[in-house]
Amino acid sequence: MAAPVNVRDTKIQDPYLNFKFLVSWDGKVVAGVSKVGGLTRTTAVANHREGGAPQGVRRIPGQTEYGPITLERGVTLDLEFEQWANKIWYYPNTGALGQEASMADWRKDITIQLCNQAGQIVKVYYVFSCWPSEYHSLPELDANANAVVAIESLTLQNEGWARDESYKAPDLPSFTAPS
């Protein structure tokens, strides 16, 4: 009879939790981001049929698209979301033709850092050429609602993302009870 297998190897790390993360752009952490939409990549399937092959079509990878990312945070006095969204369309400038957008710096690269429970950075993702396609300045306000925090959101279109593979699993801190 074979020896039982230990399915609980203590050297295997638990999965990372989804509530410790940082979002930054322009070299600084953006205040109060409480939710980040997932990073998605979808590759279309292209059908290809060879002229002399009656057995059917072959499937090959087609164009790859990257899904939008939505950032959410509680409404504060910080203007980072609104200022970036205004670079795409700023209503007071609509009277001057060609002044609706700031074409100089409306695209930004953002960084998303995932941290473990000890606050150590364990994974870093770079998202390229982001620009805001949707901005919600205030949620629906309802005095009878049970929600306690007003949330603003910014939806970002992007041209791809990559994981920084230089970040390796950090040494985990150990807890020692007081003597």
Side-chain angles (χ1 to χ4, degrees):
M1 177 177 207
V5 177
N6 181 3
V7 295
R8 179 91 172 123
D9 184 355
T10 58
K11 293 183 182 182
I12 296 175
Q13 295 182 10
D14 293 329
Y16 299 117
L17 304 178
N18 68 353
F19 63 85
K20 283 202 153 211
F21 57 89
L22 299 170
V23 176
S24 58
W25 62 64
D26 294 337
K28 60 184 177 183
V29 174
V30 180
V33 176
S34 60
K35 187 175 183 180
V36 177
L39 298 178
T40 60
R41 175 178 54 216
T42 304
T43 302
V45 176
N47 292 325
H48 171 70
R49 184 161 182 242
E50 297 174 11
Q55 67 268 23
V57 297
R58 295 183 59 205
R59 297 184 185 271
I60 58 175
Q63 188 173 13
T64 298
E65 293 186 14
Y66 296 88
I69 301 165
T70 300
L71 307 177
E72 293 183 2
R73 69 177 184 176
V75 175
T76 66
L77 295 176
D78 183 61
L79 299 175
E80 289 290 323
F81 279 24
E82 185 175 359
Q83 287 173 342
W84 192 6
N86 285 346
K87 290 179 184 289
I88 302 301
W89 183 261
Y90 188 51
Y91 183 74
N93 283 348
T94 58
L97 188 60
Q99 296 299 313
E100 298 90 359
S102 169
M103 301 305 287
D105 56 356
W106 59 286
R107 289 183 186 264
K108 299 177 189 257
D109 293 341
I110 69 169
T111 303
I112 302 170
Q113 299 173 326
L114 178 65
C115 302
N116 62 14
Q117 284 183 291
Q120 299 167 309
I121 297 171
V122 293
K123 283 193 172 189
V124 175
Y125 289 89
Y126 301 110
V127 188
F128 308 110
S129 296
C130 298
W131 57 273
S133 62
E134 189 172 339
Y135 172 59
H136 291 265
S137 165
L138 277 177
E140 179 178 307
L141 301 174
D142 183 357
N144 292 321
N146 201 14
V148 292
V149 176
I151 301 291
E152 69 177 327
S153 67
L154 189 65
T155 301
L156 301 175
Q157 301 299 322
N158 66 86
E159 294 184 2
W161 47 266
R163 184 170 68 87
D164 185 343
E165 295 182 16
S166 68
Y167 281 86
K168 303 297 180 197
D171 292 330
L172 298 174
S174 178
F175 175 76
T176 305
S179 49

